[in-house]
Amino acid sequence: INAEYGNNLNTNRSLINKGEKIFSFLYQYSSFPLEEAKKTIEWKGTKVDAEWIVSRKVRREELRAQNPEKQSFFSRIKYKPEVSQSDKPIILYLHGGAYIVGSSSLYKPFLYVISYITGLKVLALNYSLSPEAQFPTALKEALALYDYLLTARKMNPKQVILMGDSAGGHLAVSMIVSLLNSNPFLKANSDAISFSTNQLPFPNPSAVPLACILFSPWLDFTSRGESYKKNEKIDYLLTIEKIREVVPFLVPPSLLQSISSPFISPIYCHPSMLQGFPPTLIHASGHEMLLDDSISFAKLIKEGGNIKNHGDQEDKERKGNENEIKRGKTRGVKGGSKGR
């Protein structure tokens, strides 16, 4: 690492560490503790750091379900969960930070809200950061944690929702692409990764998670999208220079010529590689440099024959609402559609 970049990275990490301590202090007074909230999992030769982040509401539901006899008579009448917490899906969250910064501690306030709104537990992965750990180390750890959930925890793939932002969005997509296709960077003879034959097999379309939610995913390490230039002046966070400076620290020198590979930059996947991709929700801003990554990948998913894009879904809902209103009028129901 050159001296200037190394100094800037260490400065940024020290500032983020201070923020993490503040968030951790605040979080401990807003959430029930879990016995294994933060732990290191060693699974088939791979060490993985992860942390459960659960809102008080979700934790109360779980405790009530575990000890119904301890609840008061009125609480038992009031509390009638439709689905037990053990049957609900969990959210496996992959944080952003360009693969060089970030952690579950930094994301706690956001993930606490996600848990509260969805009513689900959130498991946040603290993958190894670059440049100390380069591609595909983070991918290896993410897949190892996913395999741990499916094998050791005996969870069904349809009980896991992948969620990630920026680099975490890239990691989530890379996981699914690796499950659907034979990833050459995950072969057993690779120096960077060594999955045993009895571990989660690749490819394995049946192991695709329930859904995928992405916030401003970074899917193109080559920065070729039009929005990279068009939005550079109005994106308050990124510049093309910063992105191009970071990429060599994420990818080993031997793979820099391969950054346009669909297994490194998923934006270059052929639609056929995405057949079987789970239902996906992508959030992106019209002012960000990564906008084209989101738009282009949504088109690829659609071309792969999986789901319709958001615009199509809006049209479908609008037509459905109009039909419901018409039916409501014929039946004499005011407003037609309830709660819309």
Side-chain angles (χ1 to χ4, degrees):
I1 310 172
N2 64 57
E4 182 180 356
Y5 184 86
N7 291 334
N8 290 338
L9 179 59
N10 291 330
T11 301
N12 291 335
R13 282 182 175 173
S14 65
L15 291 173
I16 288 174
N17 287 336
K18 291 179 181 177
E20 290 176 353
K21 291 179 181 178
I22 295 172
F23 290 145
S24 295
F25 176 78
L26 295 174
Y27 178 74
Q28 67 180 335
Y29 291 102
S30 64
S31 174
F32 277 109
L34 295 174
E35 291 181 1
E36 49 179 23
K38 195 169 187 177
K39 62 184 299 184
T40 298
I41 301 166
E42 186 165 356
W43 185 245
K44 297 179 180 177
T46 302
K47 286 187 177 181
V48 180
D49 288 325
E51 181 172 8
W52 287 100
I53 298 173
V54 182
S55 69
R56 295 179 73 89
K57 181 181 77 170
V58 173
R59 186 59 173 152
R60 282 195 195 100
E61 279 191 16
E62 187 176 46
L63 292 174
R64 283 170 178 168
Q66 291 173 356
N67 304 293
E69 68 283 353
K70 293 185 178 180
Q71 305 302 317
S72 68
F73 174 76
F74 293 103
S75 295
R76 274 179 272 179
I77 293 176
K78 182 180 179 181
Y79 179 70
K80 293 181 179 179
E82 296 179 1
V83 182
S84 68
Q85 192 66 44
S86 60
D87 294 331
K88 288 183 177 181
I90 68 160
I91 295 173
L92 176 54
Y93 196 88
L94 308 167
H95 68 77
Y99 283 110
I100 58 174
V101 294
S103 70
S104 60
S105 297
L106 185 66
Y107 275 70
K108 272 182 180 178
F110 171 66
L111 297 181
Y112 179 87
V113 173
I114 292 292
S115 175
Y116 181 86
I117 292 173
T118 62
L120 303 176
K121 289 182 175 182
V122 178
L123 179 61
L125 169 65
N126 289 307
Y127 53 81
S128 299
L129 300 175
S130 295
E132 293 84 356
Q134 295 181 310
F135 176 86
T137 304
L139 178 58
K140 171 187 177 181
E141 293 173 354
L143 287 168
L145 178 58
Y146 187 57
D147 184 32
Y148 168 81
L149 292 174
L150 302 189
T151 308
R153 289 294 187 104
K154 301 187 184 303
M155 295 187 70
N156 188 296
K158 302 311 176 187
Q159 288 182 291
V160 181
I161 299 171
L162 281 186
M163 185 182 292
D165 67 288
S166 191
H170 173 273
L171 188 52
V173 171
S174 296
M175 286 177 65
I176 298 172
V177 171
S178 297
L179 290 171
L180 293 174
N181 304 273
S182 180
N183 189 333
F185 303 113
L186 294 181
K187 289 186 176 179
N189 60 357
S190 169
D191 294 334
I193 189 167
S194 55
F195 279 117
S196 59
T197 53
N198 63 334
Q199 200 164 1
L200 191 67
F202 299 101
N204 188 356
S206 63
V208 168
L210 173 65
C212 181
I213 302 174
L214 308 172
F215 304 100
S216 303
W218 179 28
L219 304 176
D220 183 7
F221 282 10
T222 66
S223 309
R224 292 176 185 170
E226 290 184 9
S227 61
Y228 281 85
K229 293 181 180 179
K230 181 180 177 182
N231 292 343
E232 185 175 18
K233 292 183 179 180
I234 55 177
D235 189 318
Y236 77 96
L237 186 63
L238 301 175
T239 64
I240 292 180
E241 183 181 355
K242 282 183 181 178
I243 293 174
R244 290 177 177 170
E245 184 184 40
V246 166
V247 170
F249 296 99
L250 312 183
V251 182
S254 59
L255 297 179
L256 279 176
Q257 300 299 320
S258 304
I259 59 172
S260 58
S261 163
F263 296 102
I264 297 179
S265 294
I267 202 69
Y268 296 108
C269 284
H270 189 274
S272 62
M273 297 176 65
L274 302 178
Q275 290 182 2
F277 207 89
T280 301
L281 175 64
I282 305 175
H283 292 274
S285 165
H287 290 173
E288 65 178 80
M289 290 176 61
L290 304 181
L291 176 62
D292 277 1
D293 291 21
S294 296
I295 294 175
S296 299
F297 193 71
K299 290 179 180 177
L300 286 174
I301 295 176
K302 185 179 178 182
E303 290 171 7
N306 300 287
I307 59 174
K308 293 187 177 182
N309 62 31
H310 184 64
D312 288 345
Q313 184 64 25
E314 282 183 338
D315 292 340
K316 182 178 179 181
E317 289 182 359
R318 177 178 54 79
K319 292 176 181 177
N321 291 344
E322 290 174 354
N323 291 334
E324 286 184 20
I325 291 171
K326 288 177 182 178
R327 290 197 298 270
K329 286 180 178 178
T330 60
R331 293 194 301 263
V333 178
K334 292 183 180 181
S337 177
K338 295 182 179 179
R340 298 240 183 191

